[in-house]
Each structure stands twice: as C-alpha cells, then as structure tokens.
C-alpha cells in the first residue's frame, strides 16, 4: 500500500497562490492514480483534482478549473497541486489520495493526513 504525506498548507490572502506537495512512498507508488481532495468545516470531502500515473490525463472539479494545476514527478514520487487566484471558499483541509484503479473519486482509497489551507478575505 502507498503511504502519502502532504505539505505546503498555510494562511494566505484572497488572490494569492499556494503549492501543495505530496510525497508518496512504497515500491509501486508511481503506478497509482493520484488526486487531491478537500474538506471544509461542516462539509463533505470533495474531489479537487486527479492525474493518471503517466501524467498524461488530469481532471478537475469545476470550482477550481483554470486556477489549480495538478502535476506529478514519478522519479521523485511527488505530486503537487499549484493553486492560484485563491478564494475564501477554497479554505479547507486538503488531502492527497491514491487510487490503484481509476480517477473516479470513489476509487481513491489511500489518504494522507491532510494539510490546512486558509484563505482570508
């Protein structure tokens, strides 16, 4: 099973940028579909972005399209989420996730511990 550790969260202002990183460990880490989810206080966890093992295909939630970019470096077993033009509604705990099957949100079954992102208005 792949192990995941996020970093890069913090407190920023509206319009700022932030980059989240996820370090994946395990012999087959580079073969997993990778994604980012978020959970705001009092809300369900939601899919933010996902990327195939090759990095050739990515998917985004409508709320972040054009602002967030997911990428991966399989040589370093790293996945990043570049977040630009941040809004207060982006405030949440962000989780790195892995799936051995597909980019479908329901297939992600390995999770990091989460990192807090707070966007002040």
């Amino acid at each position: 099973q792949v192990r995941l550790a996020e970093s890069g969260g913090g407190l920023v202002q509206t319009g700022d940028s932030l980059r989240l990183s996820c370090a994946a460990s395990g012999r087959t880490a580079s073969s997993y579909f990778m994604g980012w989810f978020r959970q705001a206080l009092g809300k369900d966890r939601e899919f933010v972005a996902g990327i195939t093992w090759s990095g050739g295909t990515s998917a985004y939630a409508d709320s972040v399209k054009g602002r967030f970019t997911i990428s991966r470096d399989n040589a370093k077993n790293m996945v990043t989420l570049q977040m630009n033009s941040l809004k207060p509604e982006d405030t949440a705990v962000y989780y790195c996730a892995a799936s051995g099957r597909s980019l479908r949100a329901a297939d992600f079954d390995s999770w990091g511990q989460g990192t807090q992102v707070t966007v002040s208005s």
Side-chain angles (χ1 to χ4, degrees), residues 21-103:
S21 296
C22 174
S25 59
R27 286 186 302 167
T28 58
S30 63
S31 66
Y32 282 78
F33 297 89
M34 299 297 296
W36 288 92
F37 290 70
R38 68 186 182 187
Q39 187 168 20
L41 193 64
K43 296 186 177 180
D44 294 334
R45 185 162 55 191
E46 63 175 357
F47 174 81
V48 175
I51 190 167
T52 55
W53 68 269
S54 68
T57 299
S58 56
Y60 297 91
D62 288 343
S63 58
V64 306
K65 280 181 182 176
R67 299 189 298 122
F68 291 11
T69 302
I70 187 171
S71 61
R72 68 188 297 167
D73 184 338
N74 286 338
K76 297 180 179 179
N77 283 342
M78 292 288 293
V79 179
T80 61
L81 184 68
Q82 178 67 42
M83 305 185 294
N84 299 328
S85 302
L86 283 162
K87 305 174 181 180
E89 51 264 44
D90 295 318
T91 295
V93 177
Y94 283 71
Y95 296 90
C96 180
S99 164
R101 292 184 289 275
S102 77
L103 280 180

